[in-house]
Amino acid sequence: MTFAWVGLVWLILVVCANANAAQNTNCAGCVNGVCFNLTKLQAVVGGEVSCKDRFQNTYFYQVCGVSSQPCKVSSDPTPAVCQRVGVLTPPDWYDCGNANMFEWLPRPNNPDPKSGFLLAFTGGRQGRTVGIEFVCDTSATGGGTFEPNGAAENPVRTYHLRWTTEHACPIDHGDGDDDGDGDAKTLVIVIPTLVAAVCLCCSILCCFVWCVCGRQAPPTEERTLVLVQEVVPRQYVVHAITVRE
């Protein structure tokens, strides 16, 4: 029975680990079943990127990480996007969203997930939020184009940025550039689960066989007891009794 419990616990641990692995991060996630990974974009740009809107406000963004600009506040030590306001000296800095408070959404004007996605960050200073619209464009090689997207604040304290790049395409879009990552991740999840399931089934089968075949009745021992009874003087009756133990 111990083996069955071990198999069950192992299966539960594997399933829980796989569930956690499947959760979205600020670097990889899924929208309506279509998955994306910004790891390659991070490797291509190699650091923080920035763009400037028509009001001379500059936005700094670190793919898959935290902005290094001086906009950290006690309520958010991990800003995803930092805003430097205008051309003030010294400049004002604002945290536009927490790198750990994010949501993967369809693009606002093109809900087809294969066209890209919207990575929205909330929890910025004074309620600021920022949405980065990643547009899938296989012709936008390299780092692509990072730029403001529409009005600076619409509504107030809400910012819109856009990144057009080949690395915003689904990881299985079929251009041969996914390096088999999707298949490898599938194997990493499926193989341990199958192994755990097989171990559990084998353990249960062994327990069943042991319970049915292993618990045989112990051999019995027979003894014969002889009782002699005197019914009348000098007349006796002999009783033989067999006892099984």
Side-chain angles (χ1 to χ4, degrees):
M1 201 66 181
T2 302
F3 294 107
W5 280 111
V6 171
L8 179 59
V9 171
W10 174 250
L11 181 61
I12 293 174
L13 291 176
V14 170
V15 171
C16 291
N18 292 337
N20 291 331
Q23 292 180 354
N24 292 342
T25 68
N26 66 354
C27 195
C30 300
V31 178
N32 296 334
V34 179
C35 297
F36 305 87
N37 195 319
L38 298 176
T39 304
K40 290 184 179 179
L41 180 59
Q42 178 192 35
V44 169
V45 297
E48 203 163 19
V49 295
S50 64
C51 65
K52 186 177 295 186
D53 64 22
R54 59 191 179 93
F55 300 107
Q56 301 303 305
N57 299 315
T58 305
Y59 303 88
F60 298 86
Y61 172 53
Q62 174 68 55
V63 185
C64 302
V66 176
S67 176
S68 62
Q69 303 303 317
C71 68
K72 297 179 181 180
V73 292
S74 58
S75 60
D76 180 16
T78 57
V81 176
C82 282
Q83 178 197 46
R84 185 176 63 195
V85 179
V87 291
L88 299 178
T89 303
D92 285 340
W93 292 90
Y94 292 95
D95 163 22
C96 294
N98 191 321
N100 297 318
M101 298 174 63
F102 55 86
E103 186 174 6
W104 291 73
L105 301 168
R107 292 177 57 198
N109 299 321
N110 190 344
D112 180 8
K114 293 184 179 180
S115 70
F117 58 94
L118 179 71
L119 186 54
F121 295 95
T122 59
R125 182 178 175 184
Q126 298 174 334
R128 283 173 166 78
T129 64
V130 59
I132 305 176
E133 184 176 359
F134 285 86
V135 181
C136 170
D137 186 350
T138 55
S139 65
T141 58
T145 304
F146 182 59
E147 59 189 350
N149 186 19
E153 294 190 48
N154 184 21
V156 176
R157 295 175 182 168
T158 301
Y159 305 91
H160 311 274
L161 306 174
R162 179 171 55 210
W163 200 327
T164 304
T165 172
E166 62 176 340
H167 301 297
C169 298
I171 57 177
D172 58 349
H173 64 279
D175 64 353
D177 190 36
D178 59 0
D179 296 335
D181 291 346
D183 294 338
K185 291 178 180 178
T186 300
L187 291 176
V188 168
I189 293 175
V190 171
I191 291 178
T193 304
L194 290 177
V195 171
V198 170
C199 292
L200 177 61
C201 292
C202 292
S203 300
I204 293 175
L205 180 61
C206 291
C207 290
F208 176 78
V209 172
W210 179 78
C211 291
V212 173
C213 303
R215 291 186 173 182
Q216 297 179 351
T220 59
E221 180 180 354
E222 295 185 355
R223 291 190 302 169
T224 302
L225 301 179
V226 178
L227 300 178
V228 179
Q229 180 182 11
E230 184 179 7
V231 292
V232 294
R234 296 185 178 181
Q235 294 185 5
Y236 301 92
V237 176
V238 178
H239 301 276
I241 302 175
T242 300
V243 179
R244 291 185 176 89
E245 295 181 350

Coordinates of all heavy atoms in Angstrom, one line a residue, residues 93-161:
W93 N 9.8 61.8 -12.7 CA 9.7 60.4 -13.0 C 8.4 59.8 -12.5 O 8.0 60.1 -11.3 CB 10.9 59.6 -12.5 CG 12.2 60.0 -13.2 CD1 13.0 60.9 -12.8 CD2 12.7 59.4 -14.4 NE1 14.1 61.0 -13.7 CE2 13.9 60.0 -14.6 CE3 12.3 58.3 -15.2 CZ2 14.7 59.7 -15.7 CZ3 13.1 58.0 -16.3 CH2 14.3 58.7 -16.5
Y94 N 7.8 58.9 -13.3 CA 6.5 58.3 -12.8 C 6.6 56.8 -13.2 O 7.0 56.4 -14.3 CB 5.3 58.9 -13.5 CG 5.0 60.3 -13.0 CD1 5.5 61.4 -13.7 CD2 4.3 60.5 -11.8 CE1 5.2 62.7 -13.2 CE2 4.1 61.8 -11.3 CZ 4.5 62.9 -12.0 OH 4.3 64.1 -11.6
D95 N 6.2 56.0 -12.2 CA 6.1 54.5 -12.5 C 4.7 54.3 -13.1 O 3.7 54.6 -12.6 CB 6.1 53.8 -11.1 CG 5.6 52.4 -11.2 OD1 5.6 51.8 -12.2 OD2 5.3 51.9 -10.1
C96 N 4.7 53.7 -14.3 CA 3.5 53.5 -15.1 C 2.8 52.1 -14.9 O 1.8 51.9 -15.5 CB 3.7 53.8 -16.6 SG 4.2 55.5 -16.9
G97 N 3.5 51.3 -14.2 CA 2.9 49.9 -14.0 C 3.8 49.0 -13.3 O 5.0 49.0 -13.6
N98 N 3.3 48.1 -12.5 CA 4.1 47.1 -11.8 C 4.4 45.9 -12.7 O 3.5 45.3 -13.3 CB 3.3 46.7 -10.5 CG 4.2 45.9 -9.6 OD1 5.0 45.0 -10.0 ND2 4.0 46.1 -8.3
A99 N 5.7 45.5 -12.7 CA 6.1 44.4 -13.6 C 5.5 43.1 -13.1 O 5.4 42.1 -13.9 CB 7.6 44.3 -13.6
N100 N 5.0 43.0 -11.9 CA 4.4 41.8 -11.4 C 2.9 41.8 -11.4 O 2.2 40.9 -11.0 CB 4.9 41.5 -10.0 CG 6.4 41.3 -9.9 OD1 6.9 40.6 -10.7 ND2 7.0 41.9 -8.9
M101 N 2.3 42.9 -11.9 CA 0.8 43.1 -12.0 C 0.5 43.2 -13.5 O 0.5 44.4 -14.0 CB 0.3 44.2 -11.2 CG 0.6 44.1 -9.7 SD 0.2 45.5 -8.7 CE -1.6 45.6 -9.0
F102 N 0.3 42.2 -14.2 CA 0.1 42.2 -15.6 C -1.0 41.3 -16.1 O -1.5 40.4 -15.3 CB 1.4 41.7 -16.3 CG 1.9 40.4 -15.9 CD1 1.4 39.2 -16.5 CD2 2.8 40.3 -14.8 CE1 1.8 38.0 -16.0 CE2 3.2 39.0 -14.4 CZ 2.7 37.9 -15.0
E103 N -1.4 41.5 -17.3 CA -2.5 40.7 -17.9 C -2.3 40.6 -19.4 O -2.0 41.6 -20.1 CB -3.9 41.3 -17.6 CG -5.0 40.4 -18.1 CD -6.4 40.9 -17.7 OE1 -6.4 42.0 -17.1 OE2 -7.4 40.2 -17.9
W104 N -2.4 39.4 -19.9 CA -2.3 39.1 -21.4 C -3.6 39.2 -22.0 O -4.6 38.5 -21.6 CB -1.6 37.7 -21.6 CG -0.2 37.7 -21.2 CD1 0.3 37.6 -20.0 CD2 0.9 37.6 -22.1 NE1 1.7 37.6 -20.0 CE2 2.1 37.5 -21.3 CE3 1.1 37.6 -23.5 CZ2 3.4 37.5 -21.8 CZ3 2.4 37.5 -24.0 CH2 3.5 37.5 -23.2
L105 N -3.8 40.1 -23.0 CA -5.1 40.4 -23.6 C -5.0 40.4 -25.1 O -3.9 40.6 -25.7 CB -5.6 41.7 -23.1 CG -5.8 41.9 -21.6 CD1 -6.0 43.4 -21.2 CD2 -6.9 41.0 -21.0
P106 N -6.1 40.2 -25.8 CA -6.1 40.4 -27.2 C -5.9 41.9 -27.6 O -6.1 42.8 -26.8 CB -7.6 40.0 -27.6 CG -8.1 39.2 -26.5 CD -7.4 39.8 -25.3
R107 N -5.4 42.1 -28.8 CA -5.2 43.5 -29.3 C -6.5 44.2 -29.4 O -7.5 43.6 -29.8 CB -4.5 43.4 -30.6 CG -3.1 42.9 -30.6 CD -2.5 42.9 -32.0 NE -2.5 44.2 -32.7 CZ -2.4 44.4 -34.0 NH1 -2.3 43.3 -34.8 NH2 -2.5 45.6 -34.5
P108 N -6.6 45.5 -29.0 CA -7.9 46.2 -29.0 C -8.6 46.2 -30.3 O -9.8 46.1 -30.4 CB -7.5 47.6 -28.5 CG -6.2 47.4 -27.8 CD -5.5 46.3 -28.5
N109 N -7.8 46.5 -31.4 CA -8.4 46.7 -32.7 C -8.3 45.4 -33.6 O -8.7 45.5 -34.8 CB -7.8 47.9 -33.4 CG -8.0 49.2 -32.6 OD1 -9.1 49.4 -32.1 ND2 -7.0 50.0 -32.6
N110 N -7.7 44.4 -33.1 CA -7.6 43.2 -33.8 C -7.5 42.0 -32.9 O -6.5 41.6 -32.4 CB -6.3 43.2 -34.7 CG -6.2 42.0 -35.7 OD1 -7.0 41.0 -35.6 ND2 -5.3 42.1 -36.7
P111 N -8.7 41.5 -32.5 CA -8.8 40.4 -31.5 C -8.2 39.1 -31.9 O -8.1 38.2 -31.1 CB -10.3 40.3 -31.3 CG -10.9 40.7 -32.6 CD -10.0 41.8 -33.1
D112 N -7.8 38.9 -33.2 CA -7.2 37.7 -33.6 C -5.9 37.5 -32.9 O -4.9 38.3 -33.1 CB -6.9 37.7 -35.1 CG -6.3 36.4 -35.6 OD1 -6.2 35.4 -34.8 OD2 -5.9 36.3 -36.8
P113 N -5.7 36.5 -32.0 CA -4.5 36.4 -31.2 C -3.3 36.1 -32.0 O -2.2 36.4 -31.5 CB -4.9 35.2 -30.2 CG -5.9 34.4 -30.9 CD -6.7 35.4 -31.7
K114 N -3.4 35.6 -33.2 CA -2.3 35.3 -34.0 C -1.6 36.6 -34.6 O -0.5 36.6 -35.1 CB -2.7 34.4 -35.2 CG -3.1 33.0 -34.7 CD -3.3 32.1 -35.9 CE -3.7 30.7 -35.5 NZ -4.0 29.8 -36.6
S115 N -2.4 37.7 -34.4 CA -1.8 39.0 -34.9 C -1.0 39.6 -33.8 O -0.3 40.7 -34.1 CB -2.9 39.9 -35.3 OG -3.7 40.3 -34.2
G116 N -1.0 39.1 -32.6 CA -0.2 39.7 -31.5 C -1.1 39.7 -30.3 O -2.1 39.0 -30.1
F117 N -0.7 40.6 -29.4 CA -1.4 40.6 -28.1 C -1.1 42.0 -27.4 O -0.3 42.8 -27.8 CB -0.8 39.5 -27.2 CG 0.6 39.6 -26.9 CD1 1.2 40.2 -25.8 CD2 1.5 39.0 -27.8 CE1 2.6 40.3 -25.6 CE2 2.9 39.0 -27.7 CZ 3.4 39.7 -26.6
L118 N -1.9 42.2 -26.3 CA -1.7 43.4 -25.5 C -1.2 42.9 -24.1 O -1.9 42.2 -23.4 CB -3.0 44.2 -25.3 CG -2.9 45.4 -24.5 CD1 -2.1 46.5 -25.2 CD2 -4.3 45.9 -24.1
L119 N -0.1 43.5 -23.7 CA 0.5 43.2 -22.3 C 0.2 44.4 -21.5 O 0.8 45.5 -21.7 CB 2.0 42.9 -22.4 CG 2.7 42.4 -21.1 CD1 1.9 41.2 -20.5 CD2 4.1 42.1 -21.4
A120 N -0.8 44.3 -20.6 CA -1.2 45.4 -19.8 C -0.6 45.3 -18.4 O -0.7 44.3 -17.7 CB -2.7 45.5 -19.7
F121 N 0.0 46.4 -17.9 CA 0.5 46.5 -16.6 C -0.3 47.5 -15.7 O -0.6 48.6 -16.2 CB 2.0 47.0 -16.6 CG 2.9 46.0 -17.2 CD1 3.2 46.1 -18.6 CD2 3.5 45.0 -16.5 CE1 4.1 45.2 -19.2 CE2 4.3 44.1 -17.1 CZ 4.6 44.2 -18.5
T122 N -0.6 47.2 -14.5 CA -1.3 48.1 -13.6 C -0.5 48.3 -12.3 O 0.6 47.7 -12.2 CB -2.7 47.5 -13.2 OG1 -2.5 46.2 -12.6 CG2 -3.6 47.3 -14.5
G123 N -1.0 49.1 -11.4 CA -0.4 49.2 -10.1 C 0.7 50.3 -10.1 O 1.6 50.3 -9.2
G124 N 0.7 51.2 -11.1 CA 1.7 52.3 -11.1 C 1.4 53.4 -10.1 O 0.4 53.3 -9.4
R125 N 2.3 54.4 -10.2 CA 2.1 55.5 -9.2 C 0.8 56.2 -9.5 O 0.4 56.5 -10.6 CB 3.3 56.5 -9.4 CG 3.3 57.7 -8.4 CD 4.5 58.5 -8.7 NE 4.5 59.7 -7.9 CZ 5.4 60.7 -7.9 NH1 6.5 60.6 -8.7 NH2 5.3 61.8 -7.2
Q126 N 0.1 56.5 -8.4 CA -1.2 57.2 -8.4 C -2.2 56.5 -9.4 O -3.0 57.2 -10.1 CB -1.0 58.7 -8.8 CG -0.2 59.4 -7.8 CD 0.2 60.9 -8.3 OE1 0.2 61.1 -9.5 NE2 0.4 61.8 -7.4
G127 N -2.1 55.2 -9.5 CA -3.1 54.4 -10.3 C -2.7 54.4 -11.8 O -3.6 54.0 -12.6
R128 N -1.5 54.7 -12.1 CA -1.1 54.7 -13.5 C -1.1 53.2 -14.1 O -0.8 52.3 -13.4 CB 0.2 55.3 -13.8 CG 0.2 56.8 -13.7 CD 1.6 57.5 -13.7 NE 1.6 58.9 -14.0 CZ 1.2 59.8 -13.1 NH1 1.0 59.4 -11.9 NH2 1.2 61.1 -13.5
T129 N -1.5 53.1 -15.4 CA -1.4 51.8 -16.1 C -0.8 52.1 -17.5 O -0.9 53.2 -18.0 CB -2.8 51.2 -16.2 OG1 -3.6 52.1 -17.1 CG2 -3.5 51.1 -14.9
V130 N -0.3 51.0 -18.0 CA 0.3 51.1 -19.3 C 0.0 49.8 -20.1 O 0.0 48.7 -19.5 CB 1.8 51.3 -19.3 CG1 2.5 50.2 -18.5 CG2 2.4 51.5 -20.7
G131 N -0.4 49.9 -21.4 CA -0.7 48.8 -22.2 C 0.3 48.8 -23.4 O 0.4 49.8 -24.1
I132 N 1.1 47.7 -23.5 CA 2.0 47.6 -24.6 C 1.4 46.6 -25.6 O 1.3 45.5 -25.3 CB 3.4 47.1 -24.2 CG1 3.9 48.0 -23.0 CG2 4.4 47.1 -25.3 CD1 5.3 47.6 -22.5
E133 N 1.1 47.2 -26.8 CA 0.5 46.3 -27.8 C 1.6 45.7 -28.7 O 2.3 46.5 -29.4 CB -0.4 47.2 -28.7 CG -1.2 46.3 -29.8 CD -2.2 47.1 -30.5 OE1 -2.3 48.4 -30.3 OE2 -2.8 46.6 -31.5
F134 N 1.8 44.4 -28.6 CA 2.8 43.7 -29.4 C 2.2 43.3 -30.7 O 1.2 42.5 -30.7 CB 3.4 42.6 -28.6 CG 4.3 43.0 -27.5 CD1 3.9 43.3 -26.3 CD2 5.7 43.0 -27.8 CE1 4.7 43.7 -25.3 CE2 6.6 43.4 -26.8 CZ 6.1 43.7 -25.5
V135 N 2.7 43.7 -31.8 CA 2.1 43.4 -33.1 C 3.1 42.4 -33.8 O 4.3 42.6 -34.0 CB 2.0 44.7 -34.0 CG1 1.4 44.3 -35.4 CG2 1.2 45.7 -33.3
C136 N 2.5 41.3 -34.3 CA 3.2 40.3 -35.0 C 3.4 40.7 -36.4 O 2.5 40.9 -37.2 CB 2.4 38.9 -35.0 SG 3.1 37.7 -36.0
D137 N 4.7 40.9 -36.8 CA 5.1 41.3 -38.2 C 6.4 40.5 -38.5 O 7.4 40.9 -38.1 CB 5.2 42.8 -38.3 CG 5.5 43.2 -39.7 OD1 5.7 42.4 -40.6 OD2 5.4 44.5 -40.0
T138 N 6.3 39.5 -39.3 CA 7.4 38.7 -39.7 C 8.5 39.5 -40.5 O 9.6 39.1 -40.6 CB 7.0 37.4 -40.4 OG1 6.3 37.8 -41.6 CG2 6.2 36.5 -39.5
S139 N 8.0 40.6 -41.1 CA 9.0 41.4 -41.8 C 9.8 42.4 -40.9 O 10.8 43.0 -41.4 CB 8.3 42.2 -42.9 OG 7.4 43.2 -42.3
A140 N 9.3 42.6 -39.7 CA 10.0 43.5 -38.8 C 11.1 42.7 -38.0 O 10.9 42.3 -36.9 CB 9.0 44.1 -37.8
T141 N 12.2 42.5 -38.7 CA 13.3 41.7 -38.2 C 14.0 42.5 -37.1 O 13.9 43.7 -36.9 CB 14.2 41.3 -39.3 OG1 14.8 42.4 -39.9 CG2 13.5 40.4 -40.3
G142 N 14.9 41.7 -36.4 CA 15.7 42.4 -35.3 C 14.8 42.8 -34.2 O 13.8 42.1 -33.8
G143 N 15.0 43.9 -33.6 CA 14.2 44.4 -32.5 C 12.9 45.0 -32.9 O 12.0 45.2 -32.1
G144 N 12.7 45.3 -34.2 CA 11.4 45.9 -34.6 C 11.3 47.4 -34.3 O 12.4 48.0 -34.1
T145 N 10.1 47.8 -34.1 CA 9.8 49.2 -33.8 C 9.1 49.4 -32.5 O 8.0 48.8 -32.3 CB 9.0 49.9 -34.9 OG1 9.7 49.7 -36.2 CG2 8.9 51.4 -34.7
F146 N 9.6 50.2 -31.6 CA 9.0 50.5 -30.3 C 8.6 52.0 -30.3 O 9.4 52.8 -30.5 CB 9.9 50.2 -29.1 CG 9.3 50.4 -27.8 CD1 8.2 49.7 -27.4 CD2 9.9 51.3 -26.9 CE1 7.7 49.9 -26.1 CE2 9.4 51.5 -25.6 CZ 8.3 50.8 -25.2
E147 N 7.3 52.3 -30.1 CA 6.8 53.6 -30.3 C 5.5 53.9 -29.5 O 4.9 52.9 -29.0 CB 6.5 53.9 -31.8 CG 5.5 53.0 -32.3 CD 5.3 53.1 -33.8 OE1 5.9 54.0 -34.4 OE2 4.7 52.2 -34.4
P148 N 5.2 55.2 -29.2 CA 3.9 55.5 -28.6 C 2.7 55.0 -29.5 O 2.9 54.9 -30.7 CB 3.9 57.0 -28.4 CG 5.3 57.4 -28.5 CD 6.0 56.4 -29.5
N149 N 1.6 54.7 -28.9 CA 0.5 54.2 -29.6 C -0.7 55.1 -29.3 O -1.4 54.8 -28.3 CB 0.2 52.7 -29.3 CG -0.9 52.1 -30.1 OD1 -1.2 52.6 -31.2 ND2 -1.5 51.0 -29.6
G150 N -1.0 56.1 -30.1 CA -2.1 56.9 -29.8 C -1.9 58.0 -28.8 O -0.7 58.4 -28.5
A151 N -2.9 58.5 -28.2 CA -2.8 59.6 -27.2 C -2.0 59.2 -26.0 O -2.1 58.0 -25.6 CB -4.2 60.1 -26.8
A152 N -1.3 60.1 -25.5 CA -0.4 59.9 -24.3 C -1.2 59.4 -23.1 O -0.9 58.4 -22.4 CB 0.4 61.1 -23.9
E153 N -2.3 60.0 -22.8 CA -3.2 59.7 -21.6 C -4.6 59.7 -22.1 O -5.3 60.7 -22.1 CB -2.9 60.7 -20.5 CG -1.5 60.6 -19.9 CD -1.4 61.4 -18.6 OE1 -2.3 61.2 -17.7 OE2 -0.5 62.2 -18.5
N154 N -5.1 58.5 -22.4 CA -6.5 58.4 -22.8 C -7.0 57.0 -22.3 O -6.8 56.0 -23.0 CB -6.6 58.5 -24.3 CG -8.1 58.5 -24.8 OD1 -9.0 58.7 -24.0 ND2 -8.3 58.1 -26.0
P155 N -7.7 57.0 -21.2 CA -8.0 58.1 -20.3 C -6.8 58.6 -19.5 O -5.7 58.1 -19.7 CB -9.1 57.5 -19.4 CG -8.7 56.0 -19.3 CD -8.3 55.7 -20.7
V156 N -7.0 59.5 -18.5 CA -5.9 60.1 -17.7 C -5.2 59.0 -17.0 O -5.8 58.0 -16.4 CB -6.5 61.1 -16.7 CG1 -5.4 61.6 -15.8 CG2 -7.2 62.2 -17.5
R157 N -3.8 59.1 -17.0 CA -2.9 58.2 -16.3 C -3.0 56.8 -16.9 O -2.6 55.8 -16.3 CB -3.2 58.1 -14.8 CG -2.9 59.4 -14.1 CD -3.3 59.4 -12.6 NE -3.1 60.7 -12.0 CZ -3.5 61.0 -10.8 NH1 -4.2 60.1 -10.1 NH2 -3.2 62.2 -10.3
T158 N -3.4 56.7 -18.1 CA -3.4 55.4 -18.9 C -2.5 55.6 -20.1 O -2.8 56.6 -20.9 CB -4.8 55.0 -19.3 OG1 -5.6 54.8 -18.1 CG2 -4.7 53.7 -20.0
Y159 N -1.5 54.8 -20.3 CA -0.6 55.0 -21.4 C -0.6 53.9 -22.4 O -0.8 52.7 -22.0 CB 0.8 55.2 -20.8 CG 0.9 56.4 -19.8 CD1 0.6 56.1 -18.5 CD2 1.1 57.7 -20.2 CE1 0.6 57.1 -17.5 CE2 1.1 58.7 -19.3 CZ 0.9 58.4 -17.9 OH 0.8 59.4 -17.0
H160 N -0.3 54.2 -23.7 CA -0.4 53.2 -24.7 C 0.9 53.2 -25.5 O 1.3 54.2 -26.1 CB -1.6 53.5 -25.6 CG -2.9 53.7 -24.9 ND1 -3.7 52.7 -24.5 CD2 -3.4 54.9 -24.5 CE1 -4.8 53.2 -23.9 NE2 -4.6 54.6 -23.8
L161 N 1.5 52.0 -25.6 CA 2.8 51.9 -26.4 C 2.6 50.7 -27.4 O 1.7 49.9 -27.2 CB 4.0 51.6 -25.5 CG 4.2 52.6 -24.3 CD1 5.3 52.1 -23.4 CD2 4.5 54.0 -24.9

